Amino acid sequence: MASTVSTPPTGTPASGEAVDPALERAAERAAARRGALLALPGFVYLGLFFAVPLAIVFVYSFATRSSTGRTILGEWSLRSYGRLFDPLVGGIAWRSLWIAALATAICLLVGYPFAYFIATRSPRVRGLLLVGVMIPFWSNFLVRTYAWRLLLGSDGPLSQLTDLAGLGPSRLLFTPTAVLIGLVYGFLPFMVLPLYAAIERMDFGLVEAARDLYASGWKAFRHVTWPLSRPGVVAGSILVFIPSLGAYVTPEILGGSRTTMLGSFIVRQFLSARDWPFGSSLSFVVMAVMLLATMVYFRVGGKTL
Amino acid sequence: MTTTPSPASTATKASEALAVSTAAVELAEVVKRFEDVTAVERLDLRVPDGEFFSLLGPSGCGKTTTLRMIAGLEIPTEGSVRIFGEEMGLRPPNRRPVNTVFQSYALFPHMTVEQNIAFGLQMRRTAADETRRRVAEVIELVRLGGMERRKPQQLSGGQQQRVALGRALVNQPKVLLLDEPLGALDLKLRQAMQLELKELQERVGVTFVYVTHDQEEALTMSDRIGVMDAGRLLQVGTPEEIYEHPRTRMVADFIGQTNFLAAVAQGQGEARLADGRTVNVPPGSTSGVAITLALRPEKLSVVPAGEPSPSGANQLVGVVERRVYLGSSLTYEVALEGVTLRVRQENTPSVAQCREGDRVGIRWDPASTTVLEE
Ligand SMILES: Nc1ncnc2c1ncn2[C@@H]1O[C@H](COP(=O)(O)OP(=O)(O)O)[C@@H](O)[C@H]1O
Ligand SMILES: [Mg+2]
C-alpha cells in the first residue's frame, strides 16, 4: 500500500515498532520451542552415546578388581585412583604430553605458513589447495599409518637413502620420532583448516595500514596478522593436541612397545591387563585434565581478541 | 658532460632544484597497470608543501591507485614518485614520510583507541613518555577524550573516522594521504567534518592529498583540485578555476551542472547554433571550427518571452517543460529547438516565477560562456 511507504515524518519514531509486549514474548517463546525441537536429535544422540557411557566409566572407576580380573561392582574404593601415582603411569603420561606438545608445535610451525599461503591465493587456487589438504581423509587412517611403517622401516626407502648417503641405515621405526612423524602427518589438516579460516577472514587492509604506520613486514605480522589469526591458532592447537595426547593407532603401529602412550596404556588395562577400574580412572582423569587445559587455553587465547 | 656550465645555467639549475625540493609530492609520468587494466596513465602532478590538494573523479578513475603509489602500497609500472625531492623508487611504505587515512579506516580491531593511535610511534620506538604525551595531545585534537579504552567496534562512524585521522596525525607526517575519508558518513556529519578537516589542516600545516568523488566536498575544502577521469589527470586548478573555466567537457560535466550547446565559431566573438541562430561568445576561436558552449544553469535567467534583450546579451526563446522546486532555488528545464536548457533561479521575491508550458526567454551574459574546442 502506498500509505505505508509515505509515512509522514511527524509521527513518533518508535510508532512503527509498538507491538503488544505480551504478544512479543509469546512469539519469542514459540521461536525458542522450535529451536529446541530442531536440536533434539543432537541432544538424544550425545546423551545416549556420550553422557551415558561417560557415567558408566565414572562408576567403574570406583569398582574393584578381583584376583581373576573380574570387575566387582558394589565394593567401592579409591584404589584405582591411588594407582595413578605409580611412576610407570607418570612416565607414560609425561612421554604422551611432550610428544603431543611437540606434534602440536610442529603442526603449527608447518601449518601456519601453509595456511597463510592458501589464504592469499586466488579463489580458484585456494579451492584446489584446500581439496589437496583434505584428500588424505579419503583413505583409511590405519592404512596410511601402515604406509609410514614401510617408509620408516629398516629396509624402507628412507633407510636406503641414508645408507646410500653414507650415514648408515636409519632406525626410525619404533622410536618417539616415528610416532611424532605419524602424528604430525595425521593431524596437520586439523591445524591447517582452522588457521586457513582465520587468516582468510582477516582484512589484509589492516596489514597495509600497519606498513603505512612504519611497521616492517615482520612487525606487521607480529602485531596485526598473528593476533588476528589467534582464534585459528587456538582452535588448531586444540584439535591437534587432544587427539595426539590420546592417540592409540599411531603409537601402536609406529611406536612399538618402547613408546607406549596414554591411549595404548588405557586400552591395555581393558584388554590384556583386565583391570577395568584402573582403565576407567585413567580415562576419566585424562579427560578432566584435557578439559581443564582446553578451558585455560581458550581463556588465554581469547583474552586478547 | 665535459664542458663547465656557465654561471647563468648553474643559477637556473639551483633555482630549479629549489623549486623541486619545495614540492611535497611530485609524480612524473606515472603509469600503473594491473594485468589487463591501466589504472593510471602518464600522470604528472606537483603538490606544494602545505597545500590542501584534492584528487577528484568518478569511481574507478584511478584516485586510490594514485594515492597508494604515493604511500608505497603500490609501485608504479613506469615513472617516478618524489616526496620532498627524494626519489621513492621501491621504498616500502614504512620508510616513507607519509601516512594514510584509509577509505574504510582500517582500524586495528584488537586494539583500543589509544593503542591504535600509539601504533605508529611504537613502531618507530618513540620513548614511552613521549608516546603518552603525543597520543594524549592527538586525542584532544581529534576530540576523542573519554574514548581511549574503547575498541573500534564500540565507536560510531564519525568517531572511527577521527581515530583513523588521529592515528595518522600523531606521527606528524610531512604529507597526509586521505582516501575518501568522509565517504561513509551521513550528510550532516560529513559537512561538519569537511570544515573541521580543513580547519585542522590549516592549523597543523600538513600537506593533504585528499581523494574524493564528491565535487562539492572538493570545492569546499581544497586549495587546488586535480580532476581525474579514466586514469588521466584532466585539469588542475583552484576550485574557482576548475568551476569557472573547465577546459574539457568532462570537467565541466563532472563539476556542477552544465548545459552544452553545439555551435560553429563565426569569428568576431560570434557562434552559430545548430538551429541557425547566432549568439555572442568570448572571442578567440577560429572561424568555422566546431565548438561546444558550456553554460552553467545559474548563469542563465528566465525572462518573459516578449521582453527585448539588452544590447550584447544573448537571448533565446523556448517553452518551460519542467519546473522543479528546490526550496532556496527553482530549476526550469526549457525546451529550445533541438536542446533542453536547465536554468536555476534564486527563490526570491524579486525574481518572477513561471509555470510549465509558459513561453519564455532565456538570457545570459556572453562572458559567462565557456567555449570548449574538442
Ligand atoms: N589490485 C588491483 N588489481 C587489478 N585492478 C585494479 C587493482 N586496483 C585497482 N584496479 C583497477 O584500477 C582502476 C582504478 O581503481 P581505483 O584506483 O581504485 O579507482 P578509484 O579510487 O578512483 O575509484 C579500476 O578499474 C580498478 O578496477
Ligand atoms: Mg577509491
Side-chain angles (χ1 to χ4, degrees), chain A residues 173-194:
Chain A
L173 195 59
F174 306 136
T175 64
T177 312
V179 176
L180 209 53
I181 290 173
L183 290 175
V184 169
Y185 165 76
F187 298 135
L188 188 60
F190 296 115
M191 181 63 90
V192 171
L193 294 177

Side-chain angles (χ1 to χ4, degrees), chain B residues 193-212:
Chain B
M193 286 298 295
Q194 284 170 8
L195 297 177
E196 213 173 291
L197 265 180
K198 175 73 184 153
E199 202 252 352
L200 191 102
Q201 188 265 342
E202 280 165 4
R203 193 143 41 100
V204 184
V206 182
T207 308
F208 269 36
V209 179
Y210 190 100
V211 160
T212 179

Side-chain angles (χ1 to χ4, degrees), chain A residues 206 208 211-212 214-215 223, chain B residues 68 94 99-100 107-108 110:
Chain A
L206 297 174
E208 293 192 333
R211 295 303 307 273
D212 185 65
Y214 313 107
H223 294 281
Chain B
R68 287 169 61 84
N94 50 318
N99 287 113
T100 309
L107 300 178
F108 305 126
H110 57 302

Side-chain angles (χ1 to χ4, degrees), chain B residues 11-285:
Chain B
T12 40
K13 285 257 173 62
S15 71
E16 262 173 30
L18 199 67
V20 166
S21 69
T22 49
V25 176
E26 189 173 23
L27 306 183
E29 310 213 323
V30 166
V31 177
K32 180 66 190 181
R33 272 188 288 272
F34 297 103
E35 287 118 58
D36 47 348
V37 255
T38 303
V40 173
E41 182 72 62
R42 294 185 70 80
L43 194 111
D44 284 291
L45 179 66
R46 283 188 82 235
V47 181
D49 192 13
E51 186 171 76
F52 194 126
F53 183 86
S54 290
L55 272 177
L56 174 64
S59 178
C61 73
K63 307 179 298 289
T64 297
T65 305
T66 306
L67 212 60
R68 287 169 61 84
M69 286 191 286
I70 301 171
L73 296 167
E74 303 284 0
I75 297 297
T77 314
E78 289 169 31
S80 86
V81 174
R82 287 166 180 274
I83 295 173
F84 285 93
E86 232 181 304
E87 174 63 48
M88 288 295 124
L90 297 173
R91 201 188 284 196
N94 50 318
R95 292 179 41 229
R96 298 191 184 204
V98 300
N99 287 113
T100 309
V101 175
F102 291 90
Q103 189 160 8
S104 51
Y105 311 143
L107 300 178
F108 305 126
H110 57 302
M111 297 183 197
T112 62
V113 167
E114 218 167 27
Q115 290 167 332
N116 264 283
I117 294 177
F119 190 86
L121 295 175
Q122 275 162 0
M123 289 303 112
R124 288 201 292 183
R125 302 185 179 287
T126 311
D129 52 344
E130 195 193 336
T131 301
R132 246 192 319 276
R133 184 178 56 75
R134 276 164 70 175
V135 168
E137 268 173 28
V138 161
I139 282 177
E140 180 83 8
L141 183 74
V142 296
R143 299 189 293 106
L144 282 169
M147 306 280 163
E148 291 89 344
R149 297 282 142 77
R150 295 220 190 155
K151 293 274 178 79
Q153 317 71 287
Q154 298 168 300
L155 300 177
S156 72
Q159 289 166 338
Q160 289 181 11
Q161 204 282 321
R162 293 210 293 271
V163 178
L165 194 63
R167 187 177 71 170
L169 281 175
V170 76
N171 305 295
Q172 302 172 347
K174 291 183 176 171
V175 180
L176 189 64
L177 309 172
L178 302 99
D179 192 356
E180 312 211 12
L182 308 181
L185 307 181
D186 58 61
L187 183 65
K188 267 263 154 45
L189 189 56
R190 194 157 71 223
Q191 287 170 340
M193 286 298 295
Q194 284 170 8
L195 297 177
E196 213 173 291
L197 265 180
K198 175 73 184 153
E199 202 252 352
L200 191 102
Q201 188 265 342
E202 280 165 4
R203 193 143 41 100
V204 184
V206 182
T207 308
F208 269 36
V209 179
Y210 190 100
V211 160
T212 179
H213 68 264
D214 181 339
Q215 42 117 355
E216 226 173 88
E217 193 166 290
L219 291 174
T220 313
M221 305 172 78
S222 322
D223 295 324
R224 284 193 314 149
I225 298 173
V227 183
M228 279 185 83
D229 187 38
R232 290 170 191 276
L233 196 58
L234 300 179
Q235 188 174 353
V236 179
T238 63
E240 200 166 331
E241 281 166 7
I242 298 270
Y243 189 83
E244 301 289 342
H245 307 291
R247 272 213 298 269
T248 65
R249 190 180 172 124
M250 158 63 206
V251 175
D253 207 19
F254 191 70
I255 316 278
Q257 290 184 324
T258 310
N259 297 298
F260 294 105
L261 284 175
V264 178
Q266 298 287 291
Q268 288 93 42
E270 287 193 338
R272 201 178 63 237
L273 300 178
D275 64 0
R277 297 205 42 177
T278 305
V279 292
N280 297 320
V281 294
S285 300

Side-chain angles (χ1 to χ4, degrees), chain A residues 61-121:
Chain A
S61 70
F62 295 103
T64 42
R65 174 183 182 274
S66 76
S67 53
T68 56
R70 269 200 24 249
T71 306
I72 306 164
L73 293 171
E75 279 180 33
W76 306 117
S77 84
L78 285 172
R79 208 175 314 143
S80 65
Y81 283 92
R83 283 197 58 196
L84 292 174
F85 298 98
D86 186 333
L88 174 76
V89 176
I92 289 171
W94 176 244
R95 182 189 296 134
S96 299
L97 212 64
W98 75 255
I99 287 182
L102 207 56
T104 308
I106 294 171
C107 279
L108 185 60
L109 227 59
V110 175
Y112 197 102
F114 187 53
Y116 188 94
F117 178 83
I118 300 176
T120 49
R121 293 311 100 182

